[in-house]
Amino acid sequence: MAGGDETRLALDLSNLTATPQTLEVHLNAEGQLNLSGLSSQTLTLSPGQRSTLQVPVKALGGYGTGKLTVTVKGLNLPGETLAPFTREWTLGVRPAYPALLKHYRAVLNDQPWTLPEGELQAFEPAGREALLSLSSRPPLNLGEQIRALKAYPYGCSEQTTSGLYPALYADAALLKRLGLEGEPDADRKRKIELGIERLLGMQRYNGSFGLWGADGQEEYWLSAYITDFLLRARDQGYAVPPDALKKASERLLRYTQERNLIESDYSDNLDHTRFAVQAYAAMVLARSQQAPLGALRSLFERRSDARSGLPLVQLSIALQKMGDQPRAEQALVAGLAVTRAADQWLGDYGSPLRDQALILALLEENNLMSGQREARVFALSDQLAASQWLSTQERNALFLAGRDLLGQPEQPWTAQLVSGSQTRELNPAQAGLKLEGPLLASPLSLRNEGSVPVYQQLTISGYPQHAPPAGGENMSIRRDYLGMNGEPLNLKNLQSGDLVLVHLAVTAKQRVPDALVVDLLPAGLELENQNLGQSAASLENASSQVKQWRESMQNAGVQHQEYRDDRYVAALNLEGYGTTHLLYLARAVTPGTYRVPPPQVESMYRPNWQAVGETPADMVIKGR
């Protein structure tokens, strides 16, 4: 259910005794569930009689669970004294609308900072929380990067890998400093083990990796990224099958030696894409002294192919580890001087922010250019402040760039948070704080109690009280709820059992090779058919327009689909012309009134390219 949904739960009571029973039924709702009717009822059941009580409930906003407790009193059996009979059920509650994030950055000197009045009212109270980060250095908002990576609900090979890095490197002590609650060590280790298993399930026959599975296209840069993680996990003591690592390393070796092996369906500069793959593969291999020096020197001669500094820095580290210090120094100087253009897609999952963050992480990890690193932190923080949306690549790069900074000494500082009636002191030992409940209230202010400037980052996250306006950048999405004849349905008058054909129309002005479509289902609908794209029987009586859409879907660049309990997900390659049509079938099941989530589409690695479609406010399903 979603916040605001109203429905009726059916409670069956049967008298299996030989005597009449007069029962008192008491109902109690907790968490994010409210009773909409009476909390107690009395009913009489004859021997063998069955009765169904309708329990009207309403879901509250936010994300969590609601619990319904039923207590039955008065059960009478000859010669026995029976205690009340109790049963509990839980219902998941999720927001109807996409998550909302608001960022507030400031430098605290002698004047306090105050959260603007009314800002908290944009969020549903349930599920509203914030992460506060303070530092004498410009913040990279590590706590928020870790939280967002952990919460990301989809799992291609890149997203899986990026989401595992914080689990690999962020222990409970680091999380506590950031204001986050760490999971038990056994759970963290199990998460990494399951992640490794999932990644190995995406390894292709030749040692490379696919984006969504082993049967997908070879992902060259990602193969180096995943192999890098697997080797790091092995070095941390996790079990990674040697054969899988051997195959992956052999594939990376071929990348370094055979430039033309590397292809790209979509890159604004194929020479850079090949250079980036080769440089990353070389660095991964050089850590274990497996990178051929001749191949590295040949790559160095083509350093002008690079359109970003990151692969040059990676090549520099590979050359240094393989013993060619002069070329390593030249490549490093060149890499630190190159800036990536923001308007180019280079087939390496990167962006100016991602590349600069990974460069900083590599400089710290390899103890290079210590005199420049502080200035690079300031520049990276400015880039972060200008970025409204972040990809999983960017978030993990920021985490890797910032994790070593936390271990370095900083100037002493103290600050005080006042939130409603609550007060907290912060300092370098406790630089982060999670705010929720009474600790996230108005008025909220921060004051620097020392003389050292303190950089503040406050991120409030939660779910909006109202549907977001339709619109977006570069892309658009439209959804139609249709009958099987292709005609629009009256969403205020659906009958339980009705089939609903859902049509999604997605367009892009510029090509988006990594589009992700997400359509959350209203709680009263259930997915009916998981293979509609190849099914003709269910659409025999559909209109010619619907049949054209089905043929279009079969020919579309759909790379991956998921049919979950509460949503339909599709990853696809959107061309910069025409319309991509997607279809899936659902069934109206449970009577009630339900909020209708809007359809969404985003570019996974150009996160500012995203769109939200229009949506009706409610869907009403009536019983037959």
Side-chain angles (χ1 to χ4, degrees), residues 27-77:
L27 306 168
N28 182 56
E30 300 177 38
Q32 289 168 258
L33 203 62
N34 271 353
L35 292 174
S36 302
L38 298 174
S39 61
S40 62
Q41 297 184 45
T42 300
L43 72 159
T44 300
L45 297 176
S46 303
Q49 183 182 355
R50 175 182 173 182
S51 180
T52 300
L53 294 182
Q54 298 293 327
V55 183
V57 295
K58 182 175 182 177
L60 304 180
Y63 191 92
T65 58
K67 183 170 72 172
L68 180 70
T69 303
V70 177
T71 302
V72 180
K73 299 180 179 179
L75 185 61
N76 179 29
L77 291 177

Side-chain angles (χ1 to χ4, degrees), residues 370-448:
S370 58
Q372 288 194 22
R373 298 205 294 262
E374 190 78 8
R376 285 187 167 270
V377 174
F378 277 80
L380 186 58
S381 180
D382 289 342
Q383 280 184 288
L384 175 59
S387 303
Q388 183 179 6
W389 312 103
L390 296 176
S391 70
T392 47
Q393 263 293 295
E394 290 167 326
R395 291 191 184 280
N396 184 48
L398 287 164
F399 165 72
L400 293 174
R403 70 184 181 98
D404 286 334
L405 292 174
L406 287 175
Q408 299 174 13
E410 58 176 313
Q411 297 183 65
W413 56 267
T414 57
Q416 184 185 71
L417 165 73
V418 177
S419 181
S421 61
Q422 304 282 315
T423 302
R424 295 289 187 276
E425 301 292 331
L426 294 106
N427 53 56
Q430 183 60 63
L433 199 61
K434 182 178 180 179
L435 312 181
E436 57 185 345
L439 199 53
L440 182 56
S442 291
L444 186 152
S445 64
L446 284 156
R447 179 184 296 276
N448 183 354

Side-chain angles (χ1 to χ4, degrees), residues 534-552:
Q534 284 74 43
S535 172
S538 56
L539 294 178
E540 280 300 317
N541 298 320
S543 66
S544 59
Q545 178 70 80
V546 170
K547 292 178 180 178
Q548 288 177 13
W549 290 338
R550 187 188 69 208
E551 292 175 6
S552 172

Side-chain angles (χ1 to χ4, degrees), residues 32-234:
Q32 289 168 258
L33 203 62
N34 271 353
L35 292 174
S36 302
L38 298 174
S39 61
S40 62
Q41 297 184 45
T42 300
L43 72 159
T44 300
L45 297 176
S46 303
Q49 183 182 355
R50 175 182 173 182
S51 180
T52 300
L53 294 182
Q54 298 293 327
V55 183
V57 295
K58 182 175 182 177
L60 304 180
Y63 191 92
T65 58
K67 183 170 72 172
L68 180 70
T69 303
V70 177
T71 302
V72 180
K73 299 180 179 179
L75 185 61
N76 179 29
L77 291 177
E80 294 188 46
T81 301
L82 299 174
F85 176 81
T86 300
R87 284 288 184 271
E88 294 180 350
W89 293 268
T90 57
L91 282 174
V93 177
R94 65 114 214 259
Y97 308 132
L100 177 64
L101 288 177
K102 289 197 172 187
H103 302 282
Y104 306 88
R105 298 176 177 88
V107 181
L108 303 177
N109 287 300
D110 55 348
Q111 296 296 317
W113 176 87
T114 301
L115 180 70
E117 188 175 350
E119 291 293 277
L120 296 179
Q121 276 60 58
F123 297 85
E124 289 273 10
R128 181 178 62 198
E129 63 183 39
L131 276 175
L132 173 64
S133 175
L134 300 177
S135 176
S136 62
R137 299 188 188 94
L140 301 181
N141 206 7
L142 293 200
E144 172 59 19
Q145 313 315 337
I146 294 172
R147 185 206 65 80
L149 285 169
K150 185 176 180 180
Y152 194 80
Y154 309 108
C156 74
S157 55
E158 185 282 322
Q159 292 151 358
T160 300
T161 306
S162 294
L164 288 171
Y165 264 101
L168 189 66
Y169 286 132
D171 58 17
L174 185 146
L175 293 176
K176 184 178 179 182
R177 283 188 63 190
L178 296 173
L180 297 173
E181 184 176 341
E183 53 197 346
D185 202 44
D187 292 350
R188 181 175 67 90
K189 290 180 178 178
R190 182 60 179 155
K191 176 182 178 180
I192 294 172
E193 290 168 351
L194 290 173
I196 291 171
E197 184 178 325
R198 176 172 172 79
L199 289 173
L200 294 177
M202 300 185 192
Q203 189 171 29
R204 301 172 76 250
Y205 68 94
N206 61 7
S208 66
F209 292 84
L211 183 61
W212 292 101
D215 55 350
Q217 288 186 342
E218 181 167 4
E219 293 288 337
Y220 301 93
W221 191 91
L222 272 190
S223 293
Y225 184 64
I226 296 166
T227 306
D228 187 5
F229 170 79
L230 292 175
L231 288 168
R232 290 170 182 266
R234 183 198 63 184

